[in-house]
Structures are given as structure tokens and as C-alpha cells.
Amino acid sequence: MNDNIHDLAMRHVREQVLERLLEHMTQAQRASVHLLMQRMLVIAGGPGKISEFRAMVLLGADRRSAHLLACLRAAQLSLAKRYGRSFLLRVLVARLPGLDSTTLALHDRCFGALFLEDDSRVELLRADAGQIGPYSARPVATTEQRAVARNAWLLFGHLGVCRPEALLGARAYLELATVLDQALHAGTGVDALFTVLPTTQRHRFMAWGRHCLRAITGGAADALPHGVGGLAEGLMQLHNLLALPLQRAAPMALRTDAKVLQVIALEGFLQQLENDDLLDRMLGRVKVLPCEVHGPAGLFDPVPLAHLRGLYAQFIEQRGYRAGSRAVVEQFAHLPVQWPQPLREDAQERLADALGVTIEQLVCQAFAPFSDQGRRLELFLVRCHPGMLVALPALHRALEGRRCASAITAWLMQVSGLEMAQLRALYAGALRPQVRRLVALLARRDIALRALAQASPVAPPAQQQVSAGQRR
């Protein structure tokens, strides 16, 4: 009896949510929701099979992602009202490098407005440090998992001697593919992935992913995965390869029995919602992010990118932190946004929360001073740690694997965030060709997978170079 009363109450609440949601859409938008419902029924095999249909959305922080979720929720509630049953919806909340409190608050308001958290047909997941788990304000990954993710992220910067646009761009897509693969195959799996990405962008991402897989595996083009599901699995394995570059990797093996995942784009529907302030207000998006980005970048946080670009400009290019960070802010901000000290501190806090990195380690990563037998080590010390110049010969001995004071190795690990075995491998260039090829590929592309002009290497002036004899 009590269960029946509860079910009736929940049904009434959901019908109210549907009514309110449709009231915030135009007649054309409601017609688009109806067409989406018909498409789902056809794919599922009719109303009798709709409860077995499993849909998924990869949710970014941009308004288009929120509109996509609202569209799917309207279709889900409409089908339930009409047929007494509806499809299952899995929502993966992703934000790289990590979810901040402002973004979490946006999602919370959106989920509350759509009444998602109390619906058994909706599964809310959160991505964190390459792991997925139930959505909440608390991080998903364990301390050990976050340490592994932090180490892999720092190591890539040293391997690639790359700019922030690649560090938080192409390389981050491997982490995104890792959590996407986990979400697609969790539980009973997924039948269709819904997206707002335009066709040209989807094709670009697919082509880039296949190019990476072919370059690393050496496989023929016709042997590579063509669908999103298979590609996500392949890129996940590349992510694992990059996380353990000093270990012998197991042969890559893609699933052969997995069904083809359908990708359903709703870009046409969302074009009608571009300037829909009514729907934004209902979804609790009155207060927007300071730098809100669209399309695929809705999954990426531009604030840490601006911070890393500022550090790179300050220490590598020597043209000032503000000059570097301003370029990123102007590219991604929807309104003129200044870059005062509080935003710089906020960006560093986000990176520290997501990856556990210090600003000292970020600056060290930008120099990548240990590669090529420490070619940039002296310049790094001159600009950032002049008090350690007297210990330069001892630092080289430690990186060569020779005996040295424990204080030297402790300093190297603290300033870099890496282990001594990794630092010595960087120094000696002892990396497998497979890893080198992957790093080179990733270092060439930014967040939109556009080619980056090759940066000139950071090299110390001739008068500052130290001979091999002096090192010892």
C-alpha cells in the first residue's frame, strides 16, 4: 500500500517536471522531442522493448550539454507517460582535468530541475582521475589511483616537452576515452550514445584516434575499429601504455564480440535552443562559468589551461604570466574576463584538487629539464632555483644513477613529482619507440585537435652550458 502511494507520488512529480520542461520549449522544440521519441521507439523495436533500450550522454559543463540532457529527459518522461515505460539513461559527468565546485553546482541544479537523482531509470556517474563511480561531490578515485594519474600526467609533460595546449588537449582525450569505455561497458552496457558534436568534429576525432592507433599498433586500416565503442577501447589501451612507459606493455587486444554502438547526434535540435534563456533559467544556469566553452571543449576546463599557459609564458618564453594566460581567456571566455590573482589561485587549486600537483612541479614540467641528459637542467636552475646551481654536478650524478647524497634525490623527486627511476629513464632516453611515437603524436595537437606549430626547444645559452667533465 505504502509502495503504491509512493509510486503514484513519484509519477505525479515526474509529470509535473515534464509539463514544466515542455513549457520552457517552443512548439518547434517540442516537435523535435516527439521526433526523437519516434526514433528511439524504432531503434528499440517498439513500445514493448523501449524499457530495454539503454541511452548514454557524456555531459560537459557547457550549456549545449545541459540542453541535450533536457531533451533526453523530456523524451524519457514523455514515453513513460504515454506507454507506462521508458528507456534507461546513463549520464557520465566529465570535466578535465577535474570537477570544480562551480561546475558541480551547475550540474546539481540541472539534475534537480530535471528530477534525475530519484529516478531508477537514470544512472548518474562521475569521472575522476581516469575512474568512474556514482555521481557525488566527493572524488571517485582512491588516493592510490589519483597518485597514478598525477604521475602519468606529469611524466607526459616531461616526455613530450610540450606546450599546455597539448598537455590539456590531445593527451587528455586518452583519459576521456578511458572513462568513456568504462561507462559504456558498465553493468548491462549501452545501446546508443547521444552527442551534440557536429558531424565534422566527430569525423575529425574518429580519424585522429584511428591514426594514433595505427601509428602505435602498426595495424592495417581495415583492422582498426570504426565505431566509437571500439575506438574508445583502443584509446584507453594507449592511455594505459602512456601511464606505464617504462614497463613492457601487454599486446593490445580489442573486443571482437562487442555490438556496434549507435551514435545519435542532436545538433539540429540544439541549434533551436542556442538562445533559449527560458530553458537555461529552468536548468539553473543563470550563473554561468567565468569561462564557458562550447562543443567538445565543454568537457575541458579552460581555467587551468590559462594558468599553465601563463606559467609557460612567464618561465619559458619570458614574456609574463598575464600575457600568456590572457590569450586563453580571450579565446574561451563568453564575456570579457580579467585574469586577476584570485583566478590564478583558483586555477592552481583546481589542478591541485584534480591531480595533486604543486606549482613548483608545473614549472618543472614546463622546462622538462631532465630529458636529453639534462640539457635544460642548468637553465631551469638559473631561472627557478638559483640556490641549487652549486649542486649541479651532484644532480647530474644522481640522474646518471651514480652515488649521491640522499638530499639530492629527495630534491629531484620533490621538484618534479616523479620517481628517481623515471627521472633516470628521462635522462638516459631509455623509452620504448612505441611510447616515443605516441608522445610525439599527442604533443602535436591541441584541445580541438588542431595541429600545433613546433615550439623551439628551451636551451641554455652557450655561456651557461656545463661540460661533461664539469658535471662530474
Side-chain angles (χ1 to χ4, degrees), residues 95-99 128-129 153 168 175 299-301 304-305 350-351 354-355:
R95 183 82 159 154
L96 299 175
L99 287 167
D128 173 48
W153 190 80
L168 291 180
E175 181 178 333
L299 300 170
F300 294 80
D301 191 344
L305 175 59
R350 294 192 200 187
L351 286 169
L355 297 164

Side-chain angles (χ1 to χ4, degrees), residues 204-261:
R204 182 191 306 158
F205 297 148
M206 294 290 291
W208 171 81
R210 286 168 55 82
H211 175 65
C212 289
L213 282 175
R214 186 176 185 182
I216 303 307
T217 64
D222 56 0
L224 296 175
H226 290 272
V228 170
L231 187 61
E233 182 190 5
L235 294 180
M236 174 195 68
Q237 295 192 45
L238 294 188
H239 179 266
N240 295 338
L241 171 69
L242 200 60
L244 301 170
L246 305 181
Q247 299 182 14
R248 181 177 297 278
M252 292 184 61
L254 301 179
R255 298 183 184 95
T256 57
D257 58 345
K259 64 181 179 181
V260 176
L261 176 73

